[in-house]
Amino acid sequence: MGFSVNVKAVALDAYGTVINFTEPDFIVTMAEICERQGLEADAVAMWRRFRRASYLLRAEHHPNPVDQRYDEAWAREFERVFKLMKLDGDAWAAAEYFREKLADAPAFEDARPAIEALKSRYPLALMSNADDDFLTACLRRNKLEFDVILTSEQAGAIKPNRAIFDKLAGMMGLPAGQILYAGDNPIPDVLGPMRAGMITAWVNRTGARKPRNVPQPHLRVRSLAELTSMLVPSLE
């Protein structure tokens, strides 16, 4: 089955879409941090508090929510979490372990064939809420290459902020309406690019429900392989 909308370029999210590192991996990472630092805490509870701390700390800087690298932000978030949970943890060591885990994460099995197929037909970008160092290390480890790579560190903005999508369109030399953006997280990867005027594809690997405040994506797929079959009909 082909896709009739006039797509001139494709951009993919990284973690959760191309790179196999999702919420369960973050929870495991929290458990490993506790073990490494000798902390008695529930990993799920820590992850929930960490996500809340991340939201609050980023909201403090709205509408320009990025004033630092992710590892610096993570250290601040861990400081807040450790204080709330009354834990004597090393926030900077925890943030560094986060960075190492993301740098070492593997790609999904369907990522490489999808990337190769898409690159045969479209200019292909990777855009991620990430720091340059750990994303570059991850792509090198997985031997994945793209025509354009854009991080939130480079853009000075994080998804779903429109500025990062506008930056991507400029780097690709195309109007936003000719770029399809695909990602796994509905708010940054559907709401964000749709506000910027891009074509959207939700790569919903887990069968999650769409949040009510997120508009319908142009495409819903369960994998990059399914997305590729729609965009590169010769693979059907």
Side-chain angles (χ1 to χ4, degrees), residues 63 112 176:
R112 182 180 301 282

Side-chain angles (χ1 to χ4, degrees), residues 148-160:
V148 171
I149 297 173
L150 177 61
T151 66
S152 54
E153 181 181 8
Q154 295 169 23
I158 62 172
K159 300 180 292 182

Side-chain angles (χ1 to χ4, degrees), residues 12-74:
L12 304 175
D13 166 56
Y15 293 96
T17 303
V18 171
I19 304 302
N20 190 359
F21 201 93
T22 59
E23 185 170 51
D25 300 295
F26 281 107
I27 294 170
V28 169
T29 301
M30 290 294 182
E32 292 171 348
I33 288 170
C34 290
E35 183 177 359
R36 288 165 65 93
Q37 297 197 20
L39 306 175
E40 294 289 336
D42 178 78
V44 174
M46 181 178 286
W47 170 240
R48 288 173 178 167
R49 287 180 180 267
F50 184 87
R51 286 193 307 176
R52 179 63 177 167
S54 175
Y55 172 79
L56 291 173
L57 287 168
R58 296 242 176 233
E60 289 172 3
H61 301 286
H62 183 78
N64 183 25
V66 173
D67 66 341
Q68 58 193 195
R69 289 166 44 92
Y70 261 91
D71 54 2
E72 295 171 352
W74 290 334

Side-chain angles (χ1 to χ4, degrees), residues 135-194:
L135 180 61
T136 299
C138 182
L139 295 178
R140 186 183 301 118
R141 176 187 184 277
N142 288 285
K143 299 179 180 178
L144 300 178
E145 296 182 355
F146 296 83
D147 300 310
V148 171
I149 297 173
L150 177 61
T151 66
S152 54
E153 181 181 8
Q154 295 169 23
I158 62 172
K159 300 180 292 182
N161 190 319
R162 177 170 179 167
I164 192 170
F165 296 99
D166 290 342
K167 174 75 171 178
L168 176 65
M171 291 175 70
M172 301 197 82
L174 288 168
Q178 295 180 354
I179 299 171
L180 181 143
Y181 188 81
D184 70 301
N185 192 326
I187 292 177
D189 298 330
V190 176
L191 181 63
M194 193 166 283

